[in-house]
Amino acid sequence: MEVSLENSSQLSQVESEDDEDYLYNKETDESTPLASRRSKNCCGITPWLFITTSVCIYGSSFQFGYNIAVVNTPEKVIRHYFTSRNVTMTDFIWSAAVSITPIGGLIGAMVGPVLADMFGRKSTLLWNNVIVIIGCIFVFLSHTVTSTGLLIIGRFIIGINNGIDTVVVPMFLSEISPTHLRGAVGTLNQFGIVFGMLVANILGLHQVLGTSTGWPYVMSFSVVPAVIQFIILPCCPSSPRYLLIKLNKESLARQELRKLQGTYNLEQVINEMKVEKVKESKEGTITILQLLKTKSLRFPLFLSVLLQISQQFSGINSVMYYSTSTFRRAGISDPDVATCGTSIVSILMVGISVFLVERLGRRTLMLTGLAGMFFSYGLITIGYALEDEHDDLKYVAVVCTFLVLSFFQIGPGPIPWFMMAELFSQGPRPAATSIAGSANWLSSFIIAITFPSIQDALFPYVFIVYMVFIIILWALIYVFVPETKGKTFEQISRELRRKLKHSINNEHNDIDEN
């Protein structure tokens, strides 16, 4: 009886929320004829939206991608630099310098949304540049004074910066973008990441800066985009949603919204924010503990964590780990140069994803990307297993490496980051992105720690493990994740409440039958 009363209370709460939104949603729902006519005349990209997005991507997303890849190409040079000067550089110390970054990222992902809620999205990104500059100074000094300890500390500090970027950038981009461009703008976050990886791979080549004197400049190059963003970002508009909903500055929010999205549909967007503000004022600031206790928010939180985990457990990092040896087996004389080719392919595929995400939808691209990775892994496994008997199969592994990267950049790469922000209203969004972003970094750390053991135990069948993960993740996404293409934050929230209401009804009926 107590369970039944609890379910009835939750159901009444969901129905009450739906009733409050009925009039608003009737006017703004994109399925209505009025909304359909409006959608055909949606505003394009305004100059300020272009500038703000570009500065955000180059100054933040770029840094994240750059610092992921920067340790790969000059690894041998860096390790030789220390050992040649009688400084201990064991496999453990190098692993610490590499794996310490995800730990810093985990911390950054936890505190980033809290800072963004306290000081604003733009201010958080702005002062986050100070963190990465400090980290780069430590890394550069590790070369000057020949200290592996400074290298590890610097990489840890840079990881904190990256963690903050990964959760605040998608939040900021989703809040400054018009509904019909939110997916495309959100996907550009991934474009900045893979572009950063490409630049890191190029600068790390021995023909460029991957030398005993050049590697500190490669490892601390993040200072450049940090300084550029620190100069330009203050001139860019702030998040209108944050200004109106959190700070109650409607006049300033209207001004910033006009800069970012033009005058088209201005009042409708403002009214949507006001509806969200009313809800946010009733809910108050949602802490992580409150988020976990609120049943109506657990489902979107589950979806956010699911999407973030699927990105890492798709096995993309293992493919990048094997790429150099795969290219070497195929007879490529300089596999580091070929690795730059993988980054170029990634950029091209993200560019395609930008155009597809608002046409085919997030859910479709996510499922397509995971399915493509599954079949590509199968072919790579066959290529590795039979390459001694059939020499030509080594080329199959090369082709499939590019296929895996292509499918990843279509869906699992860009989509989890901005869908994480789409699934929540203003109140619970910081706490939710903190949990989901932390899940991503924790998953990355788990993969980094366990992969060498999996490699030693299962090669050449190591990718079968990730194929199993993909099957499970694909099925969960297919069943639970809704399509958010072309929907406002309020419409997404309403659809999730309906799913919860349906779930509560089913649970209530099951209890009555028993």
Side-chain angles (χ1 to χ4, degrees):
M1 177 63 70
E2 292 179 359
V3 176
S4 179
L5 289 174
E6 181 184 354
N7 287 339
S8 298
S9 174
Q10 292 169 348
L11 180 59
S12 299
Q13 181 183 359
V14 174
E15 289 175 339
S16 175
E17 290 175 346
D18 285 342
D19 290 341
E20 289 178 6
D21 302 333
Y22 174 75
L23 181 59
Y24 171 78
N25 290 320
K26 184 177 180 182
E27 295 296 327
T28 61
D29 197 311
E30 295 185 1
S31 63
T32 63
L34 177 60
S36 297
R37 290 196 299 270
R38 286 172 175 169
S39 64
K40 294 179 181 179
N41 300 308
C42 287
C43 63
I45 299 178
T46 63
W48 273 117
L49 179 60
F50 175 80
I51 294 171
T52 306
T53 301
S54 300
V55 172
C56 187
I57 289 170
Y58 179 68
S60 299
S61 307
F62 174 91
Q63 289 191 38
F64 172 43
Y66 185 89
N67 287 297
I68 288 175
V70 72
V71 294
N72 295 334
T73 310
E75 174 185 352
K76 292 181 180 179
V77 173
I78 296 173
R79 297 183 66 164
H80 179 264
Y81 176 83
F82 286 105
T83 55
S84 64
R85 285 159 178 76
N86 298 320
V87 176
T88 302
M89 174 57 83
T90 62
D91 290 340
F92 176 79
I93 293 176
W94 178 253
S95 297
V98 174
S99 61
I100 198 71
T101 303
I103 296 176
L106 177 62
I107 296 173
M110 293 175 65
V111 303
V114 178
L115 297 175
D117 204 41
M118 292 175 59
F119 305 111
R121 285 66 165 135
K122 189 177 81 171
S123 294
T124 300
L125 292 176
L126 180 67
W127 292 105
N128 193 33
N129 290 304
V130 176
I131 296 177
V132 78
I133 290 173
I134 294 173
C136 288
I137 291 173
F138 273 93
V139 171
F140 192 88
L141 288 177
S142 71
H143 175 272
T144 304
V145 301
T146 320
S147 169
T148 55
L150 289 180
L151 178 64
I152 294 173
I153 293 172
R155 291 290 297 170
F156 173 73
I157 296 173
I158 290 172
I160 295 175
N161 164 273
N162 293 166
I164 293 174
D165 282 337
T166 56
V167 291
V168 179
V169 169
M171 192 189 307
F172 183 55
L173 292 179
S174 68
E175 292 179 2
I176 67 173
S177 309
T179 300
H180 69 288
L181 292 176
R182 196 171 61 234
V185 172
T187 304
L188 288 174
N189 174 51
Q190 185 70 11
F191 182 87
I193 293 172
V194 296
F195 181 64
M197 295 174 72
L198 173 62
V199 173
N201 288 329
I202 292 175
L203 293 183
L205 293 173
H206 61 86
Q207 299 94 331
V208 187
L209 289 174
T211 63
S212 60
T213 57
W215 71 260
Y217 296 96
V218 177
M219 297 289 286
S220 55
F221 179 77
S222 286
V223 168
V224 176
V227 170
I228 292 175
Q229 188 184 68
F230 198 82
I231 294 172
I232 302 178
L233 190 59
C235 304
C236 298
S238 299
S239 165
R241 305 188 80 86
Y242 180 81
L243 292 172
L244 193 151
I245 298 173
K246 189 68 179 179
L247 302 183
N248 197 29
K249 296 182 178 180
E250 181 178 339
S251 177
L252 183 56
R254 193 183 300 271
Q255 175 183 325
E256 302 291 67
L257 185 64
R258 187 178 293 109
K259 289 181 181 178
L260 291 165
Q261 302 183 21
T263 57
Y264 170 80
N265 236 13
L266 182 68
E267 292 306 317
Q268 181 178 331
V269 178
I270 291 292
N271 289 336
E272 179 208 336
M273 293 182 190
K274 289 180 178 179
V275 170
E276 192 173 337
K277 176 178 171 54
V278 171
K279 288 188 176 181
E280 201 268 345
S281 63
K282 291 180 180 179
E283 296 173 343
T285 302
I286 303 293
T287 64
I288 291 178
L289 186 59
Q290 290 172 329
L291 178 64
L292 295 173
K293 288 182 177 180
T294 306
K295 189 167 185 177
S296 61
L297 297 176
R298 290 179 198 162
F299 181 58
L301 179 62
F302 161 73
L303 297 180
S304 298
V305 173
L306 171 64
L307 290 168
Q308 292 294 338
I309 290 176
S310 69
Q311 184 186 79
Q312 293 299 328
F313 279 87
S314 66
I316 188 63
N317 291 331
S318 64
V319 175
M320 296 305 299
Y321 181 90
Y322 270 117
S323 62
T324 300
S325 61
T326 299
F327 297 144
R328 187 176 289 113
R329 283 192 185 99
I332 297 175
S333 58
D334 195 338
D336 289 334
V337 174
T339 300
C340 294
T342 63
S343 298
I344 294 173
V345 170
S346 294
I347 289 176
L348 293 175
M349 297 311 297
V350 172
I352 293 174
S353 181
V354 169
F355 291 99
L356 293 180
V357 68
E358 293 297 354
R359 291 168 173 79
L360 300 181
R362 289 83 154 127
R363 183 173 179 271
T364 300
L365 291 183
M366 193 74 189
L367 293 172
T368 301
L370 288 174
M373 293 179 74
F374 175 85
F375 289 109
S376 298
Y377 282 152
L379 293 175
I380 290 177
T381 301
I382 294 173
Y384 279 141
L386 301 178
E387 67 176 355
D388 291 337
E389 302 174 19
H390 305 279
D391 190 58
D392 291 341
L393 286 178
K394 62 187 179 184
Y395 300 109
V396 172
V398 172
V399 172
C400 288
T401 296
F402 284 98
L403 285 177
V404 168
L405 290 169
S406 298
F407 282 113
F408 177 79
Q409 300 302 349
I410 284 179
I415 289 175
W417 291 118
F418 67 85
M419 273 197 76
M420 171 179 66
E422 286 185 325
L423 295 172
F424 293 92
S425 58
Q426 195 78 10
R429 187 176 295 137
T433 53
S434 178
I435 294 175
S438 298
N440 184 290
W441 282 98
L442 182 60
S443 299
S444 175
F445 181 72
I446 291 172
I447 294 296
I449 292 296
T450 59
F451 177 72
S453 299
I454 296 175
Q455 173 195 4
D456 293 339
L458 298 178
F459 186 83
Y461 305 104
V462 60
F463 291 108
I464 293 178
V465 175
Y466 299 109
M467 292 174 71
V468 173
F469 284 139
I470 287 177
I471 290 175
I472 297 171
L473 294 167
W474 192 95
L476 290 172
I477 292 172
Y478 180 82
V479 172
F480 294 111
V481 175
E483 181 55 68
T484 60
K485 179 190 71 172
K487 297 177 182 177
T488 64
F489 291 113
E490 180 53 39
Q491 290 166 346
I492 296 170
S493 178
R494 181 159 52 100
E495 181 175 344
L496 292 175
R497 288 200 302 273
R498 285 177 177 174
K499 286 181 176 291
L500 175 63
K501 178 180 175 181
H502 179 71
S503 174
I504 294 174
N505 275 329
N506 289 340
E507 184 179 346
H508 185 71
N509 292 335
D510 290 340
I511 293 174
D512 289 343
E513 290 176 2
N514 293 331

